[in-house]
Amino acid sequence: LAGIAVGTVLMTLHEGRLQTLALHRPSQGWHLPFGTVGVREPLRQAAERVVAEQLGAQVDYLEQLYTFGNIVPAQGERQIQVCYYGLVPKGIVEAGGTANKPELAWLSETELGRLPVLEQKIVERAHSRLRGKLAYTAVGFELLPESFTLAELQQLYETILGKRLDKRNFRRRILELGILAPTGEERARARGRPAALYSFKAEVFHSLESRGDILAF
Amino acid sequence: LAGIAVGTVLMTLHEGRLQTLALHRPSQGWHLPFGTVGVREPLRQAAERVVAEQLGAQVDYLEQLYTFGNIVPAQGERQIQVCYYGLVPKGIVEAGGTANKPELAWLSETELGRLPVLEQKIVERAHSRLRGKLAYTAVGFELLPESFTLAELQQLYETILGKRLDKRNFRRRILELGILAPTGEERARARGRPAALYSFKAEVFHSLESRGDILAF
DNA sequence: CCAAAAGTGTTAAAACTACACCCATGA
DNA sequence: TCATGGGTGTAGTTTTAACACTTTTGG
């Protein structure tokens, strides 16, 4: 079907920053991953396929963001662009160009200027959606690997919310919710005391979900 | 452009219930208002136009809800449906069929069964979006006329959130925010003491907006 | 033994909840 | 004068926010 595209804002946490995946092609400059939709293809499936094709990675979390219909490229035809946003744990998609694939890069918020203005707005919308969902859903955990330390989780919240949190209060509240299970393992960093590792108990979270904003910090 | 439609979930408060506007045509039964999008027409403008044409009413508040792409009607072609939701103060759109226009009706939540199942899901999505936005935006006031009583505002919150609120606590909290201005007028009901009328101070609300969930009850 | 990151409790202030009576009006 | 809906304050409880030191490890 002419004029229907899907685009995706893929986000990850890297080096204490929220970063967005962008592609570079000589002909197009920097842009978000996008692609066309098959005539009989469901939209979400198209978005998944486009990400898989262009990045060679599966995305575990993908949600619809917004549909733009006023984007009129130079050519006469109007383009409908259905945008999704996705979250991946740090390091799942490795940046850097390969073979005939376009060059990939994680852009931090200060580097978004490389994108076309319209795409910058899409990314901002994705960021504010993520920020909003952080308090009442478990999206945050989609940005972490299977097991993680409390410090990593806290840093995630601090980065996305853009404010510092008190370590003791954060730990107390998140542990009292009972949504984390200690794995019994520890992770040793270069220096300092090793940190206990935890995994996310999705079932417990969902049982609490009705009384919203349980993760508001 | 073939295969692109806009649909709208128009909601209002009526008789203490959240109601949704539906159309009835002999050929189609009950359905949500929808229409096609002009080749060069922005999506939101198309949604506004469709509402205006079919209902003869301007909608002050209209936001994008979700885009469905997996709705495959009996015919071969796939249909993309970009859905919006809108809020109107009680009584703006009067129900009842006129001339060659389709019949209109406000359906309460218990009457939604008259709609096709897919459209019921769209309406549910609109309701939950509205519920979610109630706490951190001023959407609630879109459902009220220019001036209103505190009892009306409280009933609005009670209806949409589906729970009863304490009158004194509600009044104290909303007045302390400073987002309401007494108009100095009163409204006499059939019986009982007349109620003071207030209007919404949008500027004050927006100055508080940064610290979210200020209208959480 | 020292630098680095992990881990741990208490207290004061603020916010929330529950609760019952008087007031102004029209019929 | 009475029925109806509008309007008002307080006290106990819970939640939040602020705050500093000890522990464990690797170099």
Side-chain angles (χ1 to χ4, degrees):
Chain A
L1 199 56
I4 306 261
V6 286
T8 304
V9 181
L10 255 203
M11 296 175 279
T12 197
L13 274 177
H14 200 47
E15 292 164 0
R17 308 221 154 275
L18 183 59
Q19 310 213 38
T20 306
L21 195 76
L23 278 65
H24 185 273
R25 281 183 234 257
S27 55
Q28 295 172 297
W30 287 100
H31 58 86
L32 295 177
F34 68 92
T36 55
V37 184
V39 182
R40 301 204 157 282
E41 189 178 32
L43 290 173
R44 132 174 249 98
Q45 187 178 313
E48 282 168 2
R49 177 182 50 76
V50 166
V51 172
E53 283 173 8
Q54 300 195 4
L55 317 175
Q58 284 295 109
V59 179
D60 28 333
Y61 184 86
L62 195 71
E63 293 286 338
Q64 201 182 101
L65 178 63
Y66 202 76
T67 299
F68 298 88
N70 38 9
I71 302 168
V72 182
Q75 318 82 304
E77 283 286 302
R78 185 259 303 279
Q79 168 105 311
I80 299 274
Q81 186 160 24
V82 184
C83 290
Y84 285 76
Y85 69 100
L87 304 176
V88 291
K90 170 178 158 184
I92 283 280
V93 178
E94 283 309 330
T98 53
N100 55 354
K101 294 284 186 182
E103 187 184 354
L104 307 184
W106 290 107
L107 304 184
S108 67
E109 296 193 64
T110 57
E111 298 168 317
L112 292 175
R114 300 186 200 167
L115 295 172
V117 176
L118 267 166
E119 300 196 0
Q120 289 178 44
K121 293 211 175 113
I122 300 175
V123 173
E124 277 160 32
R125 193 182 279 265
H127 285 189
S128 83
R129 183 84 136 255
L130 175 60
R131 225 175 292 122
K133 283 215 153 189
L134 213 54
Y136 66 97
T137 70
V139 275
F141 298 98
E142 303 291 342
L143 290 164
L144 292 174
E146 267 299 302
S147 64
F148 48 85
T149 69
L150 289 180
E152 286 167 344
L153 184 61
Q154 179 177 347
Q155 202 194 357
L156 183 157
Y157 275 83
E158 289 181 336
T159 300
I160 299 178
L161 298 177
K163 64 180 179 192
R164 302 206 66 74
L165 301 172
D166 182 273
K167 181 166 57 162
R168 283 171 286 190
N169 294 336
F170 180 83
R171 285 164 173 259
R172 180 170 352 103
R173 286 185 52 185
I174 201 115
L175 289 175
E176 278 173 359
L177 288 174
I179 61 176
L180 298 187
T183 64
E185 319 249 302
E186 293 191 330
R187 175 181 305 157
R189 289 174 132 259
R191 278 174 285 287
R193 176 173 169 177
L197 289 173
Y198 294 84
S199 63
F200 174 56
K201 296 201 275 185
E203 338 75 55
V204 179
F205 179 86
H206 291 120
S207 73
L208 302 174
E209 216 166 13
S210 57
R211 203 200 131 264
D213 279 32
I214 56 186
L215 293 175
F217 298 96
Chain B
L1 199 55
I4 306 262
V6 287
T8 304
V9 181
L10 255 203
M11 296 175 279
T12 197
L13 274 177
H14 201 47
E15 293 164 0
R17 306 221 156 275
L18 184 60
Q19 311 214 36
T20 306
L21 195 76
L23 279 65
H24 184 272
R25 281 183 234 255
S27 55
Q28 295 172 298
W30 287 100
H31 57 87
L32 295 176
F34 69 92
T36 55
V37 184
V39 182
R40 300 203 157 284
E41 190 178 32
L43 289 173
R44 133 176 247 98
Q45 187 178 312
E48 282 168 2
R49 177 181 52 74
V50 167
V51 172
E53 282 173 9
Q54 300 194 4
L55 318 175
Q58 284 294 108
V59 179
D60 28 332
Y61 185 87
L62 195 71
E63 293 285 340
Q64 201 182 101
L65 178 63
Y66 202 76
T67 300
F68 298 88
N70 38 8
I71 302 167
V72 182
Q75 317 85 303
E77 283 286 302
R78 186 258 303 278
Q79 169 105 310
I80 299 275
Q81 187 160 23
V82 184
C83 291
Y84 285 77
Y85 69 101
L87 303 176
V88 291
K90 172 177 157 183
I92 282 278
V93 178
E94 284 310 329
T98 53
N100 56 354
K101 293 285 188 182
E103 186 184 355
L104 307 184
W106 290 108
L107 304 184
S108 67
E109 296 193 63
T110 57
E111 298 167 317
L112 292 176
R114 300 188 199 167
L115 296 172
V117 176
L118 267 165
E119 300 198 357
Q120 289 178 44
K121 294 213 174 112
I122 300 176
V123 173
E124 277 160 31
R125 193 181 278 263
H127 285 188
S128 85
R129 183 84 136 253
L130 175 60
R131 224 175 294 122
K133 282 214 154 190
L134 214 54
Y136 67 97
T137 71
V139 276
F141 298 98
E142 303 290 342
L143 290 165
L144 292 175
E146 267 300 301
S147 64
F148 47 85
T149 69
L150 288 180
E152 287 168 343
L153 184 60
Q154 180 177 345
Q155 201 195 358
L156 184 157
Y157 275 82
E158 288 181 336
T159 300
I160 300 178
L161 298 177
K163 63 180 178 190
R164 302 206 66 74
L165 302 172
D166 181 273
K167 182 165 57 161
R168 282 172 287 193
N169 294 337
F170 181 83
R171 285 164 173 259
R172 181 173 349 105
R173 285 183 53 186
I174 201 118
L175 289 175
E176 278 173 358
L177 288 174
I179 61 176
L180 298 187
T183 65
E185 319 247 305
E186 294 192 327
R187 174 181 306 156
R189 289 173 131 259
R191 278 174 285 287
R193 174 172 170 178
L197 290 172
Y198 294 84
S199 63
F200 174 58
K201 297 200 275 185
E203 337 77 56
V204 179
F205 179 85
H206 290 121
S207 72
L208 302 174
E209 218 166 13
S210 56
R211 204 200 129 263
D213 279 32
I214 57 186
L215 293 175
F217 297 96

